[in-house]
Amino acid sequence: DTGVSQNPRHKITKRGQNVTFRCDPISEHNRLYWYRQTLGQGPEFLTYFQNEAQLEKSRLLSDRFSAERPKGSFSTLEIQRTEQGDSAMYLCASSLGSAVMSEQLFFGSGTQLSVL
Amino acid sequence: GNSVTQMEGPVTLSEEAFLTINCTYTATGYPSLFWYVQYPGEGLQLLLKATKADDKGSNKGFEATYRKETTSFHLEKGSVQVSDSAVYFCALSEWGANSKLTFGKGITLSVRP
């Protein structure tokens, strides 16, 4: 068990460019979540997957954002035409996906995005 | 909708002091409640949880009791250590099967030797 891995750790881009982040969850985990965290705030839910199916998307996720989990393993989060307001820490988490409501989420260290 | 409110920070304490971090919530139904901690340079990790009213979660000397009547889940520790310096987040997951979390803003705790 190597934990949840996110790449890159840091990304600096110019406004208008596209960026893509990758998340590798813990291997046996069926659920994968994306959160966004800005300075001084708690993480905000963006979207989650059960295996390869994207089951819920927050209204925070504008049409410039897209997430995929093609084979139910790793996931990517792409932001098109980045804006300065997209600057944040993007967190990925995974969980077993059992029927237990209160199951633990395991978080990665995040990707820090800076849009200049 | 669901929300979590944490007391304003940061908090600075001397080693061995008593710690209380307040957390209240608003939710429909019967949420589960959590405290997550983020140590410097690390990802969020679960500290403790409680799944129903009057449950007490505990771990590493920290405790929190699920109080439905006051919609609260305050975090306490009798004697803090320098190694407890971190950011603490209160969170809830609503009834359902997806375990999605709603977080508070977090509070930074610094413990002086």
Side-chain angles (χ1 to χ4, degrees), chain B residues 6-21:
Chain B
Q6 292 185 234
M7 60 184 275
E8 294 291 324
V11 173
T12 302
L13 295 173
S14 297
E15 204 165 23
E16 299 184 2
F18 183 84
L19 169 72
T20 299
I21 301 178

Side-chain angles (χ1 to χ4, degrees), chain B residues 13-33:
Chain B
L13 295 173
S14 297
E15 204 165 23
E16 299 184 2
F18 183 84
L19 169 72
T20 299
I21 301 178
N22 290 343
C23 170
T24 58
Y25 68 90
T26 302
T28 54
Y30 304 97
S32 291
L33 302 174

Side-chain angles (χ1 to χ4, degrees), chain A residues 43-77:
Chain A
E44 296 174 297
F45 171 79
L46 293 178
T47 187
Y48 96 99
F49 293 82
Q50 176 82 30
N51 299 313
E52 66 274 10
Q54 187 174 18
L55 296 186
E56 186 174 345
K57 292 195 290 187
S58 163
R59 52 189 169 80
L60 291 175
L61 213 65
S62 78
D63 56 7
R64 295 185 298 105
F65 287 69
S66 61
E68 294 183 342
R69 194 182 183 198
K71 296 183 179 178
S73 56
F74 73 91
S75 175
T76 58
L77 178 68

